[in-house]
Amino acid sequence: MNLRPITRKIPLGFWYGSLSFFQSMLHNLFLLYHIETFVSVYKIDKTSFWIGETIFLIWNSCNDPLFGWISDKNLLKTADEVPVPNIVQKRLSALAWNGPLYGLSFMTFWFEWAPPAIQFTVCLCLYDGFLTVIDLHHSALLADLAVSAEKRTRLNSFCSVFCALGSLSVFMSYLFWKHNNMFQFKLFCAILAVISMAGFSFVCKILRKYYIKIAKNEIAQNQDFHPVRSCDYGHYSQPVSKTTDSMKSFLHQLIGQKNFIWFALMNLIQVFHCHFNSNFFPLFLDNLVAESISPTAASILLGISFVAPHVNNLYFLSLCRKYGVYKVIQVLFLVKLVLCMIMFSLGPSHVWMLCLFIASNRVFTEGTCKLLNLVISDLVDEDYVIHCRQQAVSALMFGMTAFLSKPGQTFAPLIGTWLLSVQTGHDIFQSGGMDGSIKLDIQKLDIESKQVYKRGCFDILIYVPVACAVLQLIAWSKFTLHGKRLRWIKQVRAGSEHRTV
């Protein structure tokens, strides 16, 4: 198949962003249904659930720096210059292999092939392993393909558009999801998995075959595609060490970067909040507003909450180009806090305001998540400059960031189920055993118990984002990689990459 005419007409950002589509169309279904499937369909017990989540916590945290180290260890150790196109080709090769395997691991959730305790742990670890490889290399490409904030936000814009399209699978899933009859849902997931696997292979083939030519054209136009040059920053020059770096020295350097530490803390809370919203959004929707709105309206609201963050992110990215990423994220934290205060003052009786709050809470939280890769890319630049590296170790930096933030993904369902039990007295595992669903049938409760239960759900819905917003604002106020310092970092890295030896 001759792909040359295709690549001539379609910008590189389109192909880069399309990889987000093949990932998000599966990952959104995983977030929504994997807990419901194991609790309501496979009837996993509480002990097995907690053990599985604990094992997943360890694996989920360790695999990011592990895969980042495997990817970038040669870049970290060598004192020779490595052309950026070679690094990009290596990342695309990893995506081409692991993309289809990611689709296969997604399918392991929906077919019962082992005891629930074993299947739960194996599926989580297997799926997250391939997802981590894809995330690392795709995110690292953002830092490798461009240096300027304008180009990075443009690439991120393509990702937002394709993530929004991928989120449409959430709308469609409601047509097929029935926990007492999984056949149609399994078939739906299988079709999406095949599309995702074929998409990764096709797009990576295009990018791997023609990236070198595109890179040469960009070099001729003095764009960002340049081989990394020697460390010479004029007044800020540092001697280049001839000894090879090790993981130990890299970690020592990383611990000394205060901006990295404060970002990792903020990101830990952000990951927790994002997954808390994804895991418990349907439950809050059913328990707080299901009696007042139709099932169709509820499903549309849920679908919109998955699509809107990506569409809204296009506006956020335009604000980032104008005001900077730091300021936009700070405002989003403040908006989240203010919305919580307003909703708390109104109470749970205002149904449509509650619907708007549930959706907007997820929109603003997910919107913030979509901007964080830009911040990590800036941290890659800072690490490159202050440690006078011969080449940026993008995947390793993304991996170490995830190492400190990924535990939030495991804490979300664990803390969420605990809070639900404390605030409402509802144990989702007992509910799953009796009623076949993690959602409590509130119609069986008397009026007083129903009000107590709803109030408990409402309090959780408010308290969690308030706590997250306050802690994030404190951590974010300590982050200094913005303004003059960020401009200097960009100038130094761009200057080093454009300099001839």
Side-chain angles (χ1 to χ4, degrees):
M1 178 180 180
N2 185 9
L3 302 175
R4 191 179 300 273
I6 299 177
T7 57
R8 285 177 178 174
K9 296 179 181 180
I10 301 178
L12 180 65
F14 176 91
W15 299 114
Y16 173 77
S18 67
L19 294 175
S20 297
F21 171 78
F22 303 119
Q23 176 184 330
S24 65
M25 67 190 300
L26 303 186
H27 190 55
N28 288 328
L29 297 182
F30 161 78
L31 292 175
L32 272 180
Y33 295 110
H34 80 281
I35 292 180
E36 172 79 9
T37 297
F38 276 93
V39 173
S40 302
V41 180
Y42 302 154
K43 307 298 183 183
I44 189 172
D45 61 275
K46 183 189 294 187
T47 302
S48 299
F49 179 81
W50 278 76
I51 292 175
E53 286 287 359
T54 302
I55 295 173
F56 174 59
L57 169 63
I58 298 171
W59 168 245
N60 192 26
S61 299
C62 294
N63 63 15
D64 290 276
L66 174 64
F67 294 147
W69 169 247
I70 292 173
S71 172
D72 285 359
K73 62 180 179 180
N74 292 332
L75 301 180
L76 191 63
K77 291 181 177 180
T78 183
D80 300 326
E81 299 165 8
V82 180
V84 172
N86 292 359
I87 299 173
V88 172
Q89 288 280 14
K90 180 181 177 181
R91 302 207 190 286
L92 291 173
S93 179
L95 288 169
W97 277 101
N98 289 281
L101 295 175
Y102 164 72
L104 289 176
S105 67
F106 170 77
M107 286 304 302
T108 61
F109 285 95
W110 320 119
F111 295 89
E112 193 170 5
W113 49 267
I118 297 175
Q119 183 175 348
F120 183 66
T121 305
V122 172
C123 286
L124 280 179
C125 293
L126 189 66
Y127 176 82
D128 185 72
F130 291 114
L131 177 65
T132 296
V133 175
I134 292 173
D135 269 338
L136 276 180
H137 287 285
H138 189 244
S139 300
L141 282 175
L142 182 66
D144 293 332
L145 291 175
V147 173
S148 70
E150 181 181 354
K151 291 183 176 64
R152 284 178 178 171
T153 53
R154 189 179 302 126
L155 289 174
N156 217 334
S157 296
F158 278 104
C159 290
S160 296
V161 172
F162 280 103
C163 281
L165 294 175
S167 298
L168 294 176
S169 62
V170 174
F171 283 101
M172 300 173 63
S173 68
Y174 265 82
L175 299 175
F176 307 103
W177 171 255
K178 292 180 181 179
H179 71 267
N180 56 354
N181 185 1
M182 293 277 287
F183 175 77
Q184 289 185 337
F185 183 75
K186 290 176 181 179
L187 182 61
F188 173 66
C189 288
I191 293 173
L192 293 186
V194 170
I195 294 173
S196 176
M197 294 162 64
F200 269 106
S201 298
F202 176 73
V203 172
C204 288
K205 181 178 180 180
I206 292 176
L207 290 174
R208 289 174 63 191
K209 189 171 183 178
Y210 291 105
Y211 174 74
I212 294 296
K213 182 175 181 179
I214 295 173
K216 289 179 180 179
N217 292 337
E218 292 292 335
I219 291 174
Q221 301 172 18
N222 293 322
Q223 298 290 331
D224 288 330
F225 299 95
H226 296 271
V228 179
R229 299 297 181 182
S230 61
C231 183
D232 180 11
Y233 303 149
H235 178 68
Y236 301 99
S237 295
Q238 302 179 38
V240 181
S241 174
K242 298 300 181 182
T243 60
T244 59
D245 287 320
S246 65
M247 188 63 171
K248 182 178 179 180
S249 63
F250 175 77
L251 291 175
H252 180 74
Q253 293 169 343
L254 208 58
I255 292 173
Q257 294 177 225
K258 293 183 179 180
N259 284 324
F260 173 83
I261 299 300
W262 285 115
F263 173 80
L265 177 60
M266 182 277 292
N267 196 27
L268 170 65
I269 302 169
Q270 186 66 25
V271 169
F272 164 80
H273 194 196
C274 284
H275 283 83
F276 178 86
N277 283 342
S278 297
N279 291 334
F280 294 97
F281 186 100
L283 186 141
F284 289 134
L285 202 62
D286 285 354
N287 291 338
L288 295 175
V289 301
E291 293 181 319
S292 302
I293 63 176
S294 66
T296 302
S299 64
I300 291 175
L301 185 63
L302 178 59
I304 289 175
S305 74
F306 273 82
V307 176
H310 306 295
V311 177
N312 211 31
N313 196 45
L314 297 174
Y315 175 66
F316 292 155
L317 288 170
S318 67
L319 293 178
C320 289
R321 287 191 285 269
K322 186 175 182 180
Y323 300 106
V325 180
Y326 176 86
K327 183 61 67 175
V328 173
I329 291 177
Q330 186 180 50
V331 171
L332 287 174
F333 291 154
L334 289 170
V335 169
K336 180 164 63 176
L337 183 59
V338 170
L339 287 176
C340 290
M341 295 296 98
I342 293 174
M343 193 65 242
F344 183 75
S345 64
L346 292 175
S349 58
H350 294 75
V351 176
W352 287 106
M353 285 298 297
L354 190 57
C355 289
L356 181 62
F357 172 77
I358 293 174
S360 62
N361 180 41
R362 191 176 190 285
V363 168
F364 284 111
T365 303
E366 289 292 327
T368 304
C369 284
K370 305 308 174 187
L371 301 178
L372 296 186
N373 279 355
L374 296 174
V375 182
I376 302 175
S377 297
D378 291 339
L379 288 169
V380 171
D381 297 339
E382 185 183 45
D383 174 77
Y384 171 87
V385 170
I386 65 178
H387 297 301
C388 200
R389 303 198 190 281
Q390 288 296 317
Q391 51 276 316
V393 284
S394 308
L396 186 54
M397 182 63 74
F398 274 91
M400 292 307 301
T401 303
F403 171 70
L404 298 175
S405 62
K406 277 291 186 71
Q409 183 175 341
T410 303
F411 291 152
L414 295 181
I415 294 177
T417 54
W418 174 75
L419 284 175
L420 193 66
S421 177
V422 171
Q423 291 292 117
T424 67
H426 167 46
D427 189 325
I428 69 169
F429 300 96
Q430 292 179 3
S431 176
M434 294 185 297
D435 302 322
S437 175
I438 67 171
K439 305 177 184 66
L440 183 66
D441 187 358
I442 61 176
Q443 300 299 330
K444 296 180 179 180
L445 301 177
D446 56 64
I447 297 177
E448 183 178 354
S449 298
K450 184 186 297 186
Q451 293 301 318
V452 171
Y453 178 76
K454 285 190 172 184
R455 185 69 204 192
C457 290
F458 178 78
D459 289 343
I460 296 173
L461 183 65
I462 298 296
Y463 295 159
V464 169
V466 166
C468 291
V470 171
L471 293 174
Q472 287 177 306
L473 284 170
I474 294 173
W476 200 232
S477 67
K478 306 292 185 180
F479 188 81
T480 62
L481 189 56
H482 56 93
K484 291 182 179 180
R485 178 171 178 80
L486 181 59
R487 287 194 293 271
W488 172 72
I489 291 292
K490 295 288 187 184
Q491 290 170 0
V492 172
R493 182 174 181 186
S496 72
E497 294 198 350
H498 292 171
R499 191 184 304 277
T500 58
V501 179

